[in-house]
Every structure is written in structure tokens, then in C-alpha cells.
Amino acid sequence: MDRTIVDNQQDDLQKKLQNILKRTGPLLSSCPIRNILDRFSDKWSTLSIIHLGDAGTLRFNELKKRIDGVSQRMLTVTLRTLERDGLVKRRVYAEIPPRVEYELTDLGRSLLVQIIELGDWASNHSQQIIQARERYDTRERNVVMAEL
Amino acid sequence: MDRTIVDNQQDDLQKKLQNILKRTGPLLSSCPIRNILDRFSDKWSTLSIIHLGDAGTLRFNELKKRIDGVSQRMLTVTLRTLERDGLVKRRVYAEIPPRVEYELTDLGRSLLVQIIELGDWASNHSQQIIQARERYDTRERNVVMAEL
DNA sequence: CAGCATCCAAACAGATACTG
DNA sequence: CAGTATCTGTTTGGATGCTG
């Protein structure tokens, strides 16, 4: 038993990776993993989940105010999708003027954990990425200049 | 000291969430976190990283064969972006016919860990999401039928 | 207030043809 | 082999106007 914790973590990751690859079959459209990763595709999904996770419950316009730059249309579309996927719960109150409240479901909260970890990674590595971009762009510019 | 491990994990998440929110300022376009999360936007980035992580080093067409459905153009664009961000290393051999090999950088491998965790979450919860969608769509259909 | 419907511009992505 | 260039259909998303 000379396996370290790091070894076991590696094994764990390796196993998960194989599982993902197995599930990423030739039928890309029906791939369940792709399907969920696509939730990260649109900018607003992640931000909506983050803000709902932070605030607990929010009305439509409260959420809209928090997510800078989102149009009404896109927030509506985003919330519908999240609701359909069972990540967000929508509660309508029969009042005038109408009141609609949104909050995360248990499933949504478990996804929030993943998003936070991802955001944390991004936060911790953004500097490295920005520097890499600058290096790359400088190199490009030099090549272009050499061609002139 | 009656705080449980779960409590501390909650604190940790809470702290990370606050940090993310702080960094998600009004200037959305320049937000470093958004910038990195956008790497998840396009379908091919994640798949490229997963396959490179699995195989180690791959030539352009080897990678293309593994990623079902990707066009040459999109794979090229994707790899350029990943290279620019310092996630993928591109090595060109001065041979004829040309040989180009791609592999993850250290930064890319650290992102791979995050992608695997995310994919693992997706894999474990895809069933719940599919069921939620079916429930939602059925409900929709009923509403429509009631209106007829 | 919360939203749906429509229009339109811009970004995206596939197919095709060509090149060092 | 590993691209680049171009053309084009599709998708996206903002702006605007209207409704219960």
C-alpha cells in the first residue's frame, strides 16, 4: 500500500475521464453530457444561477438589475430553459401587478457548486491566461511586421 | 469548535461565490471570469481538451477523427484560441508532408481537471435533467391542449 | 410587473476550393 | 498533411411595440 493520496486522485480523475469519453458517443446530438455542458454555452445561464444562489429568491426585474447587460428577452429565454431543466423554480403569485419569483432547486444548487468551483479556477488563473494572450498577440504582430 | 466539515465547506463556497461576484463588475466585456467561462461556450473547446488530456499528444487529423462532427475549420479555430490562451501547445515539425502535434500545457491540464469534474456532474445528473424536461414538456402540451 | 411577438443586424459555423 | 480563404445558410440576440 504505497499509493499516495495524489495517486488515488489521479486514478479517480482518470476513471471519470474514461466514463465521460464512453458517454460521448458518435451520436453527438443525443449525448447527455454535451447537452448539459451546453448550459454553459450561453453567458446568462451561469450568471443567473450565481445570482440566484447568492440572493436566494429574486423577482424578474431584481435579477435583471443584478445581471448587468442582459436584455429582457434573453433573461426570459434563459430562465425558461433553466426551469425546463429543473434547475430553477418559478413561482407565480396571482396578484395585480403580477409577481413572479425565481429560486434555485436542489438540482440547481448542486450545479451552483460546480459553477463556483469553475469560477474560482477562472479567477485564480485569469492572470496567466491574459499573459498568454499578450504573448501570443505580440508574437503575431511581430510576424506580421516581418512580412511587411 | 463545534463547526463540522460541512459547515467549513459551505463557508468556503460562500467565500468563493462572493469573490466571483466581486469580480463580475459592471464592465462585463472585460470581466476576466466571463472571459474564461466563455471557453466553455463553444462545444469544441471542451471536447478538444478532453481528448488531448486522454491521448497526451495528437496530430491535427488524429484529433479531428476523435471529435465526431467537427469541421476542419472549427477545429482549427478552436485550437488557435486554446493556443492563444496558453491551454494548448502547438508543435510544428519542419517536414514534408507537414506534421503538427498538439498537447495540453500545464495550465490546460489544470483546466482539464475542472472539465472532468463538470462532466462527471453532468454524467451523474443527466437523468434528472432529462426527466425534468419531459415533465415540463408534458405540462406544456397539456396547457396547449386545454386551450384548444 | 412580467412577458410575448416581431423585426433585423451581427456573429457563428458548414461546405467548398485552393495552397505550402 | 494541415491548413487558409471565401461564400453562404443558420443561429443569436438586441431593440421595439404590445398585452394581461
Side-chain angles (χ1 to χ4, degrees), chain B residues 59-61 72 76 80 90 98 102:
Chain B
R59 299 179 61 168
F60 185 86
N61 275 333
Q72 188 194 43
T76 302
R80 283 297 164 281
R90 178 171 183 266
Y102 293 91

Side-chain angles (χ1 to χ4, degrees), chain A residues 59-60 72 76 90 98 102:
Chain A
R59 298 180 62 168
F60 185 86
Q72 187 194 46
T76 303
R90 178 172 183 265
Y102 294 91

Side-chain angles (χ1 to χ4, degrees), chain B residues 23-40:
Chain B
R23 299 258 228 142
T24 311
L27 291 164
L28 199 70
S29 51
S30 68
C31 166
I33 295 172
R34 260 268 57 74
N35 230 301
I36 280 99
L37 285 185
D38 281 352
R39 275 303 128 291
F40 290 85

